[in-house]
Amino acid sequence: MARGQRKAVEEKIAEKEELISALKIRIKSEQTELDALYREKREKDLEGLNQIIAESGLDLNDAAEILREYIQNHEDQQSA
């Protein structure tokens, strides 16, 4: 009888190992898909910023400097 119980436990262990392996594969797949979605969102955000900069007539360096100044002023106001 002990043999039967031991075999059942070994089968349960094997089943759990298979399940965990399958879940790890699924997590990896989902993470890859999530990463792709983050890249897609970032590209869309950058396209939007690029459009705003182009419409403003500023070059990238000027726009970056304006943003740096804005951020510095905002930080100064927050700490005051």
Side-chain angles (χ1 to χ4, degrees):
M1 194 171 217
R3 279 272 188 205
Q5 287 179 347
R6 185 172 186 185
K7 187 174 182 183
V9 169
E10 289 171 352
E11 288 175 2
K12 289 179 182 179
I13 290 170
E15 288 172 0
K16 290 298 178 185
E17 287 175 342
E18 285 181 36
L19 176 62
I20 290 169
S21 177
L23 289 171
K24 285 179 180 179
I25 292 168
R26 169 101 190 262
I27 288 170
K28 186 176 180 178
S29 172
E30 294 294 335
Q31 186 65 52
T32 300
E33 188 174 336
L34 179 60
D35 292 343
L37 289 169
Y38 278 131
R39 281 191 303 275
E40 182 180 336
K41 182 185 182 310
R42 184 171 186 262
E43 288 175 14
K44 285 183 180 181
D45 290 346
L46 289 173
E47 287 174 11
L49 286 172
N50 191 40
Q51 183 67 30
I52 291 170
I53 292 169
E55 290 172 359
S56 72
L58 296 171
D59 68 17
L60 186 57
N61 291 329
D62 291 337
E65 184 58 33
I66 290 168
L67 283 172
R68 282 188 200 98
E69 289 175 13
Y70 173 82
I71 292 168
Q72 186 60 50
N73 290 337
H74 184 71
E75 289 173 350
D76 291 346
Q77 289 175 356
Q78 292 290 358
S79 64

